[in-house]
Amino acid sequence: MCLGETFASCGFLHSSLYVLLENLICSNFQIRSASDAVLHVVSSTCGYPTVGHLVLANSDYVIDSICRQLRHLDLNPHVPNVLAAMLSYIGLAHKILPLLEEPMRSVSLELEILGRHQHPDLTVPFLKAVAEITKASNREACSLLPQAVSLFEDVKSKMSDVEKKTMKGSVCSESRHDIDIDVSPMESGEDGGVCFDGVATPIEQWESILFSLNDSRRYRRTVGSIAGSCLLAATPLLTSLNQAACLISLDIVEDGILALAKVEEAFKQERETKEAVKQVCELCSFHSLSDTLDAFDDETDENRLLPAMNKIWPFLVACIRNKNPLAVRKCSCVISNVVQICGGDFFSRRFYTDGPHFWKLLSTSPFQTKPFSKQERTPLQLPYRSTSIASEVSVAEVSNLKVQAAVLNMIADLSRDKRSASALEAVLKKVSGIVVGIACSGVLGLREASVNALVGLASIDSDLIWLLLADVYYSKKRDMPSPPTSDLPEVSQTLTPPSSPKGYLYAQYGGQSYGFDIDFSSVETVFKILHSRVFTSQVYS
C-alpha cells in the first residue's frame, strides 16, 4: 500500500515504528541501513522534518512497547540496546523525559544485585540506556534555571507596576480626603481584579503566573526524580571490575550530580518567585490565590544534592582502591568536577579520612616497584592462573604515569577553585609534601602536572609551598644568597640542612616515597617556575 495518511490512521505506523527502531541495532549492516532509510522515508511521507520528530510525535507508543518488553527480558534480551540506541539516535530524549519514568523503574530493578545476577550480559546495555537518560535529565536541568529566572523577572516587573498603582491610589486617597470626598482608593473591579484609582489589576494574569509556577515546579521535580533514580541505579556499579560498566557509571554520576545541582538552583529561584507572588496576593487581597500558594508542598525532598553525594562518595573511593588505571583516571576527573559542584566544605572531612587511598597512588615512582605490604599481598595464588610479570610491569609504567598525572591534575583543579579549595585544607601539608617530592624528582613525565598542582596549592598557602621548595633548593645550592638586610639571619640558619633525605620538610609532611629521589636540576627548574609564577607576582591562576 502507499505510504501516507492511511498508513498512519490504520495503525501501521505504530506497529512498525518500534520494529524499525529495533533493527537499528542489528549486527547486519544492510538491515541496519535499510531500517534507517525506511525511517527517513516514513518521516518525510508522514510530514515530519526528521526521524526525531516522528518518534517524538509517537513516543507514547514506542515507550509503551519498550515497557512491555522490559517485563519479559528472557524473551527480549535486546530491549536495553533498543532503548539506548533510540535515545541516542533521535537526539530528543530530553523532550520525552517525563515518559521515561516508568521504563527507568524497570531498568533500576535490573541493575540491582538480583537483576544483574539473572541477566549479567545486560548490565552494560542497561547502563548505556541510563547514561542517555541522565544526559537528557542534565540537559533539561540546565534549562530549568533560565526559565525560573525569566518567570521571576516577569513577576518582579508586574509586582513593580502593582506597587506603583498602590502608591498612586494612596496619594489620590489623601487628596480626596482633603476635599471631603468619600471614595475608597481600592475598589473591586468588575473583572474580579482590584482597582487602584480606576486602574484594574486583573486576578487572571496572576492566576496564569501561578499556573506557570506550578507547572515549572512539577516538571522540576520530575527531572530531579529521574536524575536521582539514575544515580541510585548506577552508584553500586562504580566498584565493578568490569571496566566498561565502571566507566559508564562514572559518566552517569558526573551528569547526575550536575543535574541535581541545577535542579536545586531552580528550586531556590522558584521559592523567590513564590514569595514575590505571595506579596502581591497580600497587597491586592487575592485570598484565593494566597490559599493556593499556602497549599504548595513544603518540598523538603528538594535537598537532593548533598545526600546523594554522601551515598556516592564511598563508592568513588572504592573505585580508586580497585586500581584499574583507566577507571582511576576517569574517577579522578569526576571527583574534581563533583567537588567543585557541591563545594569543598562538604568533602574536607572525607579527604582527611579517605585521602590516604588517593595519596598512596602518588607515593611510588612509576619506574620503580614498591615493596608489597602485608595488606597488599595476594593471599592465595591459584595454580591455573598464569601471569606475565614482564608485560604487567611494562604496561604499569605507562599506566601508572598517567594515573599519577590524573591525580595531580585533580589536586590542581580542586586547589585552584575557591569553591572547592577548602576540601584540601585538612590535608594541605600532607598533599603539599607529596607533590613537592614528585616535582623535585627526576620523573620528567610528571613535572608539568606537579608544577600545576603546586601553583594551585600555592593559591591556598603560598608560604607553605615556598618553605617546602626552599628547604630543598637552598640545601643543595652552593652559592647562598646574602640577606637583603643585616637584621635578617642567613638562609642556612633559617633552613638548616637536613642530615638525611628523610629530614627534608616535604618528606616529613608527605611521608615515605619510593623512587622519587631528589634531582637538583629539577629542583632548580621547579623553584624558578614557581618563583616567577607565584612567589614574585603573587598572581594565582
Side-chain angles (χ1 to χ4, degrees), residues 363-439:
S363 64
T364 306
S365 168
F367 305 106
Q368 178 170 327
T369 304
K370 177 183 176 181
F372 286 102
S373 62
K374 293 182 179 180
Q375 293 81 4
E376 293 175 332
R377 287 173 184 162
T378 305
L380 177 64
Q381 180 65 49
L382 299 178
Y384 56 82
R385 290 189 178 179
S386 60
T387 57
S388 176
I389 298 178
S391 63
E392 284 184 4
V393 171
S394 62
V395 173
E397 289 179 357
V398 178
S399 298
N400 287 341
L401 193 69
K402 293 180 179 179
V403 166
Q404 291 178 335
V407 176
L408 289 170
N409 289 333
M410 179 193 75
I411 294 171
D413 293 338
L414 293 179
S415 54
R416 275 198 191 101
D417 190 85
K418 290 183 179 180
R419 181 171 169 78
S420 61
S422 58
L424 298 177
E425 287 182 353
V427 292
L428 185 60
K429 288 185 177 180
K430 175 76 173 180
V431 175
S432 299
I434 293 173
V435 177
V436 167
I438 296 174

Side-chain angles (χ1 to χ4, degrees), residues 264-331:
E264 283 200 4
E265 289 179 10
F267 167 66
K268 294 175 182 177
Q269 187 63 65
E270 286 176 15
R271 191 164 52 188
E272 292 185 18
T273 305
K274 176 184 172 183
E275 292 300 321
V277 173
K278 194 170 184 178
Q279 290 180 26
V280 173
C281 291
E282 293 175 354
L283 191 63
C284 299
S285 301
F286 293 152
H287 301 299
S288 59
L289 293 186
S290 183
D291 293 341
T292 304
L293 278 172
D294 292 337
F296 271 23
D297 295 336
D298 187 31
E299 301 199 78
T300 53
D301 62 330
E302 287 311 314
N303 182 25
R304 302 175 189 263
L305 179 62
L306 295 184
M309 196 64 245
N310 185 51
K311 294 178 181 178
I312 292 170
W313 177 256
F315 293 93
L316 290 173
V317 175
C319 179
I320 294 291
R321 296 183 66 181
N322 282 343
K323 297 183 179 179
N324 181 305
L326 197 57
V328 170
R329 287 161 54 191
K330 176 65 178 176
C331 187

